[in-house]
């Protein structure tokens, strides 16, 4: 995927904070969490504070976020890309008719935010028509291009199709570091130019940054760049070593470094009004509660916005990924075949996938994730567990925390 979108954009973000503060989406979370969907739709009686239903009529968790890989083609060759994308068209992509039929099914699983991702979604010719169709059904739409293909003209197409927010990745504070990571000289300047065109068109954008050993020391400079460019949010992504990212094993920071980064992030978010979000980092929600308790703060919407009401890993519980060929997965980084929309209606997959049912049952989790008192707000990264241990229900490999139950039994 082009911009680390699914997981948890969380893939824009593994929770539902994609609406943006522009006229195209209602505000709510500091920095642009949608306080609901267009038209102020009412939530389920047991619903989410933002107006989203939490459960469907049969008790299945509502789908809150769908990352849809509308194409796998891309003009960049990013080092971390789970899709290992290339320029040429991929065989088997959903046709226009299949894609439009899929959109018809989305409202049957809740009112999910739809992230149009890739590859680069701009390489699919009918993408604006697909966005318009989802938008017309009252669904919040996010768009995840790499930014290099954005012009003044298509920035207006993005706006007019109904996109609420774009996400664009910047992985270095300067052209040399970013272009090295993205695999194409000039990518940095082209992405910045694309962001300027989005601003001119009135389309809000967030910036995503993958945490690696190489850029960790320059995070403050990257954030300052985000502020200078006018981003409405900055999301940091903890690397999941899959696809091309598997070749970056030397860039994966340690569990102790993750803990340090996330504690720094907790404090740093207080210094800006920009919305900051840690993605593919479910243990942040444990750290947030631990540090809030140290400060005597209640973890509620007043102090933490929608971060107080979400779970770290939503794969299969509130989020899913749909590939360019129609395969449904818990997230873009975890290639478990949960069913294909070409043969099984998407709502049926969402409700009945055996993988999704496992992820919704704490008793199925192994290791310390299965007994952790923070399970309901964290869950551990299932994709990282699978890529690093081969067990998608195993414990989060980059978490240092020892659950209270294990400490008592030690």
């Amino acid at each position: 995927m082009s911009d680390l979108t699914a997981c948890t954009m969380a893939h824009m973000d593994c929770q539902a904070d994609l609406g943006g503060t522009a006229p195209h989406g209602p505000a709510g979370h500091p920095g642009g969490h949608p306080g609901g969907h267009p038209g102020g739709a009412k939530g389920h009686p047991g619903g989410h504070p933002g107006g989203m239903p939490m459960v469907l009529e049969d008790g299945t968790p509502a789908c809150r976020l769908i990352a849809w890989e509308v194409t796998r083609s891309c003009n960049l060759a990013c080092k971390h890309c789970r899709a290992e994308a290339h320029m040429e068209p991929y065989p088997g992509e959903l046709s226009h008719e299949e894609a439009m039929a899929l959109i018809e099914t989305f409202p049957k699983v809740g009112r999910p935010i739809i992230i149009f991702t890739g590859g680069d979604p701009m390489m699919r010719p009918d993408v604006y028509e697909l966005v318009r169709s989802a938008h017309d059904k009252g669904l919040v739409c996010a768009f995840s291009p790499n930014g290099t293909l954005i012009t003044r003209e298509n920035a207006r197409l993005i706006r007019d199709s109904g996109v609420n927010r774009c996400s664009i990745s910047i992985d270095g504070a300067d052209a040399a570091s970013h272009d090295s990571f993205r695999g194409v000289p000039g990518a940095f300047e082209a992405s910045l130019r694309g962001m300027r065109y989005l601003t001119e068109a009135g389309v809000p954008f967030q910036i995503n940054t993958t945490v690696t050993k190489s850029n960790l020391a320059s995070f403050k400079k990257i954030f300052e760049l985000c502020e200078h460019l006018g981003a409405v949010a900055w999301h940091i992504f903890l690397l999941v070593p899959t696809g091309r990212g598997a070749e970056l094993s030397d860039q994966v920071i340690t569990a102790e470094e993750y803990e340090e980064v996330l504690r720094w992030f907790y404090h740093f978010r207080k210094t800006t009004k920009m919305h900051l979000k840690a993605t593919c980092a479910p243990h942040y929600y444990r750290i947030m509660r631990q540090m809030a308790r140290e400060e005597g703060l209640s973890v509620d919407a007043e102090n933490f916005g929608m971060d107080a009401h979400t779970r770290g890993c939503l794969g299969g519980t509130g989020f899913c990924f749909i590939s360019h060929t129609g395969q449904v997965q818990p997230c873009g980084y975890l290639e478990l075949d949960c069913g294909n929309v070409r043969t099984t209606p998407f709502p049926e997959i969402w409700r009945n996938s055996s993988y999704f049912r496992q992820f919704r049952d704490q008793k199925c989790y192994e290791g310390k994730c299965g007994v952790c008192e923070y399970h309901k707000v964290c869950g551990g990264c299932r994709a990282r567990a699978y890529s690093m241990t081969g067990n998608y229900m195993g414990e989060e490999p980059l978490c240092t925390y020892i659950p209270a139950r294990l400490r008592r039994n030690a």
Side-chain angles (χ1 to χ4, degrees):
M1 127 188 14
S2 63
D3 287 312
L4 290 169
T5 301
C7 199
T8 359
M9 129 169 154
H11 326 185
M12 283 212 344
D13 156 3
C14 271
Q15 78 188 69
D17 63 357
L18 304 173
T21 54
H24 309 290
H29 191 296
H33 190 294
H37 282 258
K42 293 180 175 63
H44 188 280
H48 190 281
M52 286 186 176
M54 291 295 284
V55 294
L56 304 178
E57 294 78 3
D58 62 357
T60 300
C63 186
R64 296 164 56 187
L65 188 65
I66 297 170
W68 182 13
E69 181 190 59
V70 293
T71 182
R72 187 166 277 197
S73 299
C74 187
N75 62 319
L76 299 184
C78 305
K79 289 181 178 179
H80 68 290
C81 181
R82 61 109 206 128
E84 301 183 85
H86 53 64
M87 281 280 289
E88 297 76 18
Y90 283 76
E93 285 187 357
L94 295 181
S95 69
H96 175 74
E97 292 73 22
E98 288 173 320
M100 293 292 279
L102 176 60
I103 292 170
E104 292 291 329
T105 70
F106 290 156
K108 297 178 182 179
V109 296
R111 290 202 313 282
I113 292 170
I114 311 302
I115 304 166
F116 291 82
T117 183
D120 190 316
M122 296 183 70
M123 296 191 73
R124 178 166 177 137
D126 64 348
V127 69
Y128 305 113
E129 189 175 349
L130 301 182
V131 173
R132 171 53 60 186
S133 177
H135 174 82
D136 287 348
K137 288 174 175 53
L139 302 178
V140 171
C141 297
F143 204 63
S144 180
N146 60 49
T148 64
L149 301 177
I150 298 174
T151 64
R152 279 194 174 91
E153 292 71 28
N154 59 35
R156 291 192 288 269
L157 285 175
I158 292 171
R159 176 196 65 201
D160 295 342
S161 67
V163 168
N164 294 79
R165 183 189 291 186
C166 284
S167 72
I168 295 176
S169 290
I170 295 294
D171 296 298
D174 53 36
S177 55
H178 177 82
D179 290 357
S180 172
F181 195 77
R182 291 284 149 179
V184 174
F188 182 78
E189 290 300 331
S191 292
L192 265 57
R193 183 171 60 249
M195 285 183 256
R196 290 194 291 270
Y197 291 147
L198 290 174
T199 299
E200 289 177 11
V203 180
F205 64 88
Q206 70 181 52
I207 289 177
N208 299 340
T209 301
T210 301
V211 181
T212 66
K213 287 184 180 293
S214 296
N215 66 8
L216 198 54
S218 59
F219 256 45
K220 185 69 182 295
K221 290 182 178 179
I222 296 174
F223 170 74
E224 290 170 353
L225 177 63
C226 295
E227 281 194 315
H228 174 72
L229 293 170
V232 298
W234 182 40
H235 290 197
I236 65 169
F237 284 75
L238 302 193
L239 181 67
V240 179
T242 187
R244 286 197 192 106
E247 301 172 11
L248 295 178
S249 57
D250 62 328
Q251 288 296 312
V252 177
I253 62 178
T254 66
E256 291 74 22
E257 288 172 321
Y258 270 125
E259 193 85 6
E260 184 179 342
V261 167
L262 295 175
R263 291 179 72 86
W264 168 84
F265 197 71
Y266 174 90
H267 289 298
F268 187 69
R269 67 177 179 81
K270 305 174 189 176
T271 69
T272 176
K273 293 182 179 179
M274 185 188 298
H275 178 221
L276 306 186
K277 174 76 170 64
T279 299
C280 297
H283 29 320
Y284 175 73
Y285 294 93
R286 181 256 305 168
I287 291 170
M288 181 182 78
R289 283 164 173 79
Q290 290 174 313
M291 298 187 73
R293 186 166 59 246
E294 292 171 8
E295 296 179 339
L297 292 175
S298 298
V299 179
D300 53 27
E302 181 179 355
N303 291 320
F304 293 95
M306 292 308 298
D307 281 352
H309 298 288
T310 193
R311 182 176 188 260
C313 181
L314 289 176
T317 66
F319 167 82
C320 72
F321 173 87
I322 303 175
S323 80
H324 65 296
T325 61
Q327 178 173 298
V328 180
Q329 304 170 194
C331 80
Y333 297 111
L334 184 53
E335 291 193 39
L336 299 178
D337 185 356
C338 300
N340 194 293
V341 300
R342 281 181 160 138
T343 56
T344 307
F346 173 65
E348 185 176 328
I349 295 172
W350 176 254
R351 285 179 166 87
N352 300 323
S353 163
S354 59
Y355 291 119
F356 289 172
R357 287 178 177 270
Q358 280 186 291
F359 294 154
R360 296 165 188 168
D361 184 354
Q362 185 175 354
K363 294 190 295 293
C364 293
Y365 288 71
E366 301 175 21
K368 61 186 181 182
C369 286
V371 299
C372 185
E373 64 271 26
Y374 291 101
H375 175 84
K376 292 188 184 303
V377 298
C378 173
C381 177
R382 299 299 94 218
R384 191 177 295 115
Y386 185 65
S387 68
M388 296 181 72
T389 72
N391 181 3
Y392 62 87
M393 297 306 294
E395 65 187 34
E396 161 69 64
L398 294 180
C399 176
T400 63
Y401 183 69
I402 305 299
R405 182 172 160 185
L406 295 183
R407 293 198 304 271
R408 287 196 300 269
N409 296 337

